[in-house]
Amino acid sequence: MDGVGSFGAGRAGAAFDPIAYVQQPTTILRIVAWIFSIVVFGSIVNEGYINIGSERLYCVYNKNNDACNFGITIGLIAFLACLFFVALDVKFQQISSIKDRKKAVMLEIGFSGFWTFMWFVSFCFLANQWSRTTPDELPLNQGADAARAAIAFSFFSIFTWAGLTVRAVQKFLLGTDMSLFTTEHLDGNATIQPYPAGTVTGAETTDTYQSPPFTENLDSTAPYQVPIY
């Protein structure tokens, strides 16, 4: 992983470096996944519905509106999720609690893995309905290019989200470098520093250095005298 520290990030509270963030493989994958999601739901919304001799619109995928709705939903949620995780990545460096960092990484693993599966389902569903679509249902090949684009980028999205899942798992396995955190970071609560012993708030200390007792009369050069009993 690129970062060294707790779950791939550096010391808590360190400054955010946008250039280094953009160059990270996870960020590149997330941007690509974001673009693919726009292509999928944008293609279906713009050209995924046609009308044949009436004002009623039909889905280009075998006139199955569920196929269009499913593709739009998967793409739109993926689009919003990419924005959410980008914001989380930016704030991740500022999270001081190890427990909160762990929860954020586990959330990313769970969602990315689940959405990899959902993209696979979307690809299979759209491809199946497209294979059942007859030329008579698409006069002048209306919406054919948009339908193929949605299927193709649904397939590509499987690999981008699988890559995001792998990167999240690597971040989780990286674990925690405990030296980057103090005690308050473990629980997420700041500790209260007590006042030094013997001091009173608002009062000035008047303690001065005092020599140890019984040392003033000691003469190191005097010979040793045997006591007389």
Side-chain angles (χ1 to χ4, degrees):
M1 297 292 291
D2 302 316
V4 177
S6 176
F7 299 104
R11 187 180 299 272
F16 174 73
D17 187 355
I19 298 178
Y21 172 71
V22 173
Q23 294 175 346
Q24 292 179 1
T26 301
T27 305
I28 297 174
L29 280 173
R30 209 175 305 282
I31 294 174
V32 172
W34 180 71
I35 295 174
F36 286 176
S37 65
I38 294 176
V39 174
V40 172
F41 80 81
S43 298
I44 299 176
V45 168
N46 291 330
E47 300 183 33
Y49 294 91
I50 59 174
N51 55 347
I52 305 176
S54 65
E55 296 181 355
R56 183 177 180 181
L57 295 177
Y58 295 94
C59 178
V60 294
Y61 296 104
N62 196 31
K63 294 184 178 181
N64 187 350
N65 289 333
D66 292 336
C68 286
N69 294 335
F70 188 79
I72 293 174
T73 301
I74 297 299
L76 185 58
I77 294 178
F79 170 81
L80 297 176
C82 287
L83 296 180
F84 170 77
F85 283 112
V86 165
L88 182 61
D89 290 341
V90 172
K91 294 294 183 181
F92 192 79
Q93 190 85 5
Q94 307 302 322
I95 300 177
S96 60
S97 172
I98 295 178
K99 294 180 180 180
D100 291 341
R101 285 193 176 191
K102 184 176 181 179
K103 291 178 182 178
V105 175
M106 292 182 66
L107 173 64
E108 184 178 355
I109 293 174
F111 185 87
S112 298
F114 178 68
W115 225 246
T116 301
F117 171 75
M118 294 304 295
W119 276 121
F120 175 75
V121 173
S122 176
F123 166 73
C124 293
F125 188 23
L126 296 180
N128 175 265
Q129 293 300 307
W130 180 248
S131 64
R132 296 184 180 185
T133 304
T134 61
D136 296 336
E137 296 175 343
L138 294 177
L140 302 177
N141 215 23
Q142 272 185 310
D145 292 339
R148 296 190 186 97
I151 294 174
F153 282 92
S154 293
F155 178 75
F156 298 150
S157 295
I158 297 173
F159 298 98
T160 55
W161 282 88
L164 288 171
T165 304
V166 172
R167 294 291 299 181
V169 171
Q170 290 177 343
K171 185 189 298 184
F172 180 81
L173 295 178
L174 190 61
T176 302
D177 182 0
M178 302 300 293
S179 64
L180 299 178
F181 293 85
T182 55
T183 305
E184 64 267 20
H185 291 142
L186 299 177
D187 300 326
N189 299 322
T191 58
I192 300 176
Q193 297 294 336
Y195 289 102
T199 61
V200 180
T201 304
E204 296 182 357
T205 59
T206 58
D207 295 339
T208 58
Y209 175 79
Q210 297 179 355
S211 60
F214 307 110
T215 59
E216 298 177 355
N217 298 326
L218 293 179
D219 187 359
S220 59
T221 61
Y224 175 74
Q225 297 178 357
V226 178
I228 300 174
Y229 297 97

